Amino acid sequence: MSVDVVTLRAGALISRWVPSVGMVGVSLFGGGREHVGQLGGLEAYRGRGSTFGIPLLHPWANRLGGFAYRAAGVDVTLAAGAGGVRTEEHGLPIHGLLAAHPGWAVREVGATTLSAELDFGADAERLAAFPFPHRLAMDVTLAPGGLTVATTLTPTSAQPVPVAFGFHPYLTLPGVPRADWRLRLPAGTRLGLDDRGLPSGERTPVAARDAPLGADALDDHFTDLDPDPAFTLSGGGRALTVRFLEGYTHLQVFAPTAKDVVALEPMTAPTDALRSGDGLRCVTEPFRAVFAIDLELDAAS
């Protein structure tokens, strides 16, 4: 099965996206190196929903604490394997319903820009799992300094739509030992997680971090971020900085020791917000969220 790879070029940077496989970002290439973690690659993502690259997680990011939720006055029951529901190691629904979804329609392609749209309400199976008709638009822009991704959710009925989507950009510094990677995070509030990765209710103020990643394994959830939040992974004279520009309120940091990737994940709501209601926004007008990934090729380590 062929795929439609869209290639954007700006200055020394190249970024590639695949609209027909979930509008996933598959490359941010610069300085002769690939800075997006490939993990299992496109075929594993298309076949099993195994995340890699820069995938959209919608209508929820991270995991839910069960197979039933109530949001915007609507009770919903999910079923594993139905309507795009995938489960993780604890058997919980994870990363939304749109992994590798083929329904994205390209609206415009330029040398440095890509725009695509998905009518969520046109997919009856997914609408049964998230019965809030809406349309999604993604606008990707590559500049000489990095990538910007804008996502707009537009309700298409009178029913308010819960907003809990996010992205899972896997970043890497090829050729640099993981022990030499440096992670910089601003001060904020760390939300405690239980052994299933669900919020426990504990909130702990944390100071800013600027330290080697070393052998640390991270899977942490943050909020109360700076007014202009920025999170940087650096090493070997290169730096990748994720910036939240609009709409994102929470960050998940995932750095497994077994893989040379770090995910700095923008989220519009906390983990399990569809069930808990914590920090969940329900909208009747278009909602826009924007993040950027800056790539500096001659950064001081």
Side-chain angles (χ1 to χ4, degrees), residues 80-144:
V85 176
R86 289 179 166 88
T87 56
E88 40 82 277
E89 64 272 21
H90 305 290
L92 298 175
I94 192 164
H95 292 339
L97 306 171
L98 293 184
H101 194 285
W104 288 88
V106 174
R107 298 304 184 204
E108 184 177 353
V109 178
T112 61
T113 59
L114 166 63
S115 297
E117 188 174 274
L118 174 73
D119 184 354
F120 190 95
D123 187 322
E125 287 189 356
R126 280 163 177 78
L127 195 62
F130 189 73
F132 308 97
H134 63 281
R135 191 169 60 249
L136 290 174
M138 279 180 60
D139 297 290
V140 180
T141 303
L142 185 66

Side-chain angles (χ1 to χ4, degrees), residues 22-114:
M23 189 57 185
V24 64
V26 300
S27 178
L28 180 57
F29 189 88
R33 301 281 189 172
E34 177 57 66
H35 296 88
V36 167
Q38 298 301 301
L39 301 175
L42 185 65
E43 289 307 312
Y45 182 59
R46 181 167 58 180
R48 305 191 305 274
S50 299
T51 53
F52 89 112
I54 308 172
L56 169 67
L57 314 179
H58 178 78
W60 69 85
N62 215 301
R63 52 183 51 78
L64 296 180
F67 285 84
Y69 66 90
R70 179 177 175 81
V74 180
D75 291 304
V76 183
T77 301
L78 305 174
V85 176
R86 289 179 166 88
T87 56
E88 40 82 277
E89 64 272 21
H90 305 290
L92 298 175
I94 192 164
H95 292 339
L97 306 171
L98 293 184
H101 194 285
W104 288 88
V106 174
R107 298 304 184 204
E108 184 177 353
V109 178
T112 61
T113 59
L114 166 63

Side-chain angles (χ1 to χ4, degrees), residues 209-238:
R209 170 190 173 125
D210 188 356
L213 183 60
D216 293 351
L218 304 177
D219 199 359
D220 297 328
H221 199 32
F222 298 94
T223 191
D224 299 332
L225 305 168
D226 286 348
D228 299 303
F231 324 96
T232 299
L233 176 67
S234 63
R238 283 165 282 149

Side-chain angles (χ1 to χ4, degrees), residues 172-286:
T172 189
L173 295 168
V176 183
R178 186 185 188 277
D180 295 337
W181 295 4
R182 191 172 192 90
L183 184 61
R184 183 165 68 245
L185 305 173
T189 299
R190 183 169 58 226
L191 302 179
L193 302 175
D194 65 18
D195 58 4
R196 299 172 299 164
L198 299 169
S200 65
E202 180 182 3
R203 299 173 63 95
T204 305
V206 292
R209 170 190 173 125
D210 188 356
L213 183 60
D216 293 351
L218 304 177
D219 199 359
D220 297 328
H221 199 32
F222 298 94
T223 191
D224 299 332
L225 305 168
D226 286 348
D228 299 303
F231 324 96
T232 299
L233 176 67
S234 63
R238 283 165 282 149
L240 290 153
T241 298
V242 175
R243 294 182 292 121
F244 293 1
L245 302 180
E246 182 181 346
Y248 292 106
T249 56
H250 290 71
L251 168 74
Q252 185 79 17
V253 178
F254 177 57
T257 56
K259 300 173 182 176
D260 287 343
V261 294
V262 172
L264 300 171
E265 307 170 35
M267 298 173 61
T268 56
T271 297
D272 203 32
L274 286 182
R275 285 170 49 85
S276 71
D278 293 342
L280 184 65
R281 291 169 282 187
C282 296
V283 301
T284 56
E285 300 292 332

Side-chain angles (χ1 to χ4, degrees), residues 17 54 147-151 166-169 242-246 248 264 266 289-293:
W17 294 73
I54 308 172
L147 187 68
T148 301
V149 180
T151 305
F167 282 80
H168 202 308
V242 175
R243 294 182 292 121
F244 293 1
L245 302 180
E246 182 181 346
Y248 292 106
L264 300 171
V290 187
F291 74 95
I293 304 175

Side-chain angles (χ1 to χ4, degrees), residues 145-158:
L147 187 68
T148 301
V149 180
T151 305
T152 303
L153 181 157
T154 302
T156 53
S157 76

